[in-house]
């Protein structure tokens, strides 16, 4: 029977449990240079000490103007590699595997003088109007994704996650809500995503899995739903994605009639639908902080891994607490074990 504390294997990545720290932006690069600092080191290594099987480093951007804010991490320069490698090496000491989410914010790049996007459509009335990318510029961004992935490999990452959710650039290309182009990138809305996948895979070791985070349901009028996301996910799977990290929303201001649920596990049915339709492993995320609930998601085979975001922000040792509550043994570093004895 599957359990939250069973191990998990995907290609060359072996996880000691099914608990994932999902990527959560820290907005903590005070030098505004994209380089990971002491905050990031303590933040991520704490969750590795705390027992997470997989730690995914926050949205890390392929160029300076691809950041949500100037306080975000970057991978557009070789200077970014060693500080990330320091984090990876330390996490490995405590038995966690590490991934990194690489991305471009597109029209949601708040601090870019002029954001870029598939089409010149602002996020909302308060946002800057983005400039529509030319075909040559679009192809140049594909190359920047490739170079960022190459640096991620040099930093020792165990997996790479492409951010194709929450209204950022890859999502913007795949959504009819934000992509009004009439060229090849408009006629085939998965073209940009496929080119990025193929570019990134070209520099990844054969046994390194590629994860893609997707928005499975949009909450705007005319937005796509689960059948649409199943269709484009099949295309991405065939292009080389090994696992999907299933979320929703982020493409625009939420309308009242399309508001997502506020109940726990509201996104789990979407993860299950992607998993069953594509026969691929998936990560479920979204208000899964209660250990028995997270375990049920795994036990019921709704998902293969569970992302615990806010729970780990509150408690770096969430995984150790979950093991104790579920009556499962797990490795507890140093004298910390005393704190978990009844």
């Amino acid at each position: 029977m599957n359990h939250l504390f069973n191990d998990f294997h995907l290609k060359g990545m072996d996880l000691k449990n099914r608990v994932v720290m999902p990527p959560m932006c820290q907005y903590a690069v005070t030098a505004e240079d994209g380089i990971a600092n002491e905050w990031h080191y303590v933040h991520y290594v704490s969750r590795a000490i705390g027992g997470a099987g997989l730690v995914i480093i926050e949205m890390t951007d392929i160029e300076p103007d691809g950041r949500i804010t100037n306080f975000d991490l970057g991978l557009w320069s070789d200077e970014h590699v060693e500080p990330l490698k320091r984090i990876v090496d330390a996490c490995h000491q405590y038995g966690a595997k590490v991934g990194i989410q690489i991305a471009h914010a597109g029209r949601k790049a708040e601090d870019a003088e002029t954001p870029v996007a598939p089409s010149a459509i602002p996020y909302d009335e308060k946002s800057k109007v983005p400039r529509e990318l030319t075909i040559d510029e679009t192809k140049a961004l594909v190359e920047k994704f490739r170079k960022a992935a190459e640096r991620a490999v040099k930093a020792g990452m165990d997996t790479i996650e492409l951010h194709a959710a929450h209204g950022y650039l890859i999502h913007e290309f795949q959504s009819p809500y934000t992509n009004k182009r009439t060229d090849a990138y408009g006629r085939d809305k998965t073209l940009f995503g496929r080119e990025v996948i193929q570019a990134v895979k070209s520099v990844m070791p054969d046994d390194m899995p590629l994860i893609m985070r997707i928005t499975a349901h949009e909450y705007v009028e005319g937005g796509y739903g689960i059948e649409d996301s199943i269709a484009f996910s099949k295309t991405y799977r065939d292009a080389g994605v090994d696992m999907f990290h299933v979320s929703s929303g982020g493409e625009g201001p939420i309308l009242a009639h399309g508001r997502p649920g506020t109940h726990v596990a509201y996104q789990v049915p979407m993860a299950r639908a992607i998993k069953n339709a594509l026969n691929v492993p998936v990560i479920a995320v979204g208000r899964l902080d209660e250990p028995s609930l997270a375990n049920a998601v795994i036990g019921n085979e709704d998902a293969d891994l569970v992302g615990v975001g806010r729970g780990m922000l509150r408690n770096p040792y969430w995984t150790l607490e979950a093991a104790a509550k579920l009556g499962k043994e797990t490795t507890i570093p140093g004298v910390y074990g005393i704190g978990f004895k009844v």
Side-chain angles (χ1 to χ4, degrees), residues 79-266:
E79 294 179 3
H80 297 115
V81 173
E82 283 302 318
L84 289 170
K85 188 176 187 301
R86 177 173 175 250
I87 293 171
V88 172
D89 290 346
C91 288
H92 283 169
Q93 289 181 30
Y94 299 103
K97 297 301 171 68
V98 187
I100 190 166
Q101 184 187 74
I102 58 176
H104 189 293
R107 69 178 188 163
K108 295 178 80 173
E110 298 172 8
D111 289 341
E113 184 175 349
T114 304
V116 295
S119 301
I121 305 170
Y123 176 75
D124 59 23
E125 60 185 18
K126 298 178 182 179
S127 301
K128 299 172 184 175
V129 177
R131 179 176 58 78
E132 181 173 311
L133 287 159
T134 67
I135 289 178
D136 287 345
E137 288 171 333
T138 303
K139 292 187 179 299
L141 287 175
V142 173
E143 174 62 10
K144 289 182 179 182
F145 269 99
R146 187 192 69 79
K147 289 181 177 178
E150 197 169 42
R151 294 184 182 105
V153 172
K154 289 179 180 177
M157 299 297 168
D158 301 289
T159 183
I160 291 172
E161 178 172 288
L162 293 175
H163 201 346
H166 302 164
Y168 301 120
L169 191 64
I170 299 175
H171 181 186
E172 290 169 20
F173 269 96
Q174 77 194 17
S175 174
Y177 178 72
T178 46
N179 183 351
K180 307 296 184 183
R181 301 173 73 100
T182 58
D183 61 10
Y185 289 101
R187 293 191 297 272
D188 178 358
K189 291 181 172 55
T190 66
L191 177 58
F192 180 68
R194 287 190 288 112
E195 289 182 341
V196 170
I197 291 165
Q198 291 159 359
V200 166
K201 294 282 283 191
S202 74
V203 296
M204 292 172 62
D206 291 341
D207 64 347
M208 179 186 284
L210 177 63
I211 305 171
M212 177 176 269
R213 194 168 206 185
I214 62 165
T215 280
H217 184 87
E218 294 184 323
Y219 299 112
V220 292
E221 187 173 358
Y224 65 70
I226 189 64
E227 293 303 321
D228 302 290
S229 56
I230 286 172
F232 67 65
S233 295
K234 285 181 178 177
T235 300
Y236 293 149
R237 176 201 63 188
D238 294 346
V241 172
D242 299 296
M243 171 181 270
F244 289 93
H245 191 167
V246 183
S247 187
S248 64
E251 68 291 327
I254 295 171
L255 299 180
H257 75 273
R259 188 172 297 277
T262 56
H263 51 280
V264 298
Y266 73 97

Side-chain angles (χ1 to χ4, degrees), residues 13-43:
M13 184 176 70
D14 299 323
L15 306 181
K16 64 182 179 181
N17 59 46
R18 308 296 184 95
V19 181
V20 178
M21 180 187 183
M24 294 175 284
C25 288
Q26 297 299 294
Y27 307 112
V29 184
T30 53
E32 301 187 20
D33 55 7
I35 296 174
N37 57 32
E38 204 64 18
W39 172 270
H40 301 92
Y41 180 86
V42 173
H43 175 65

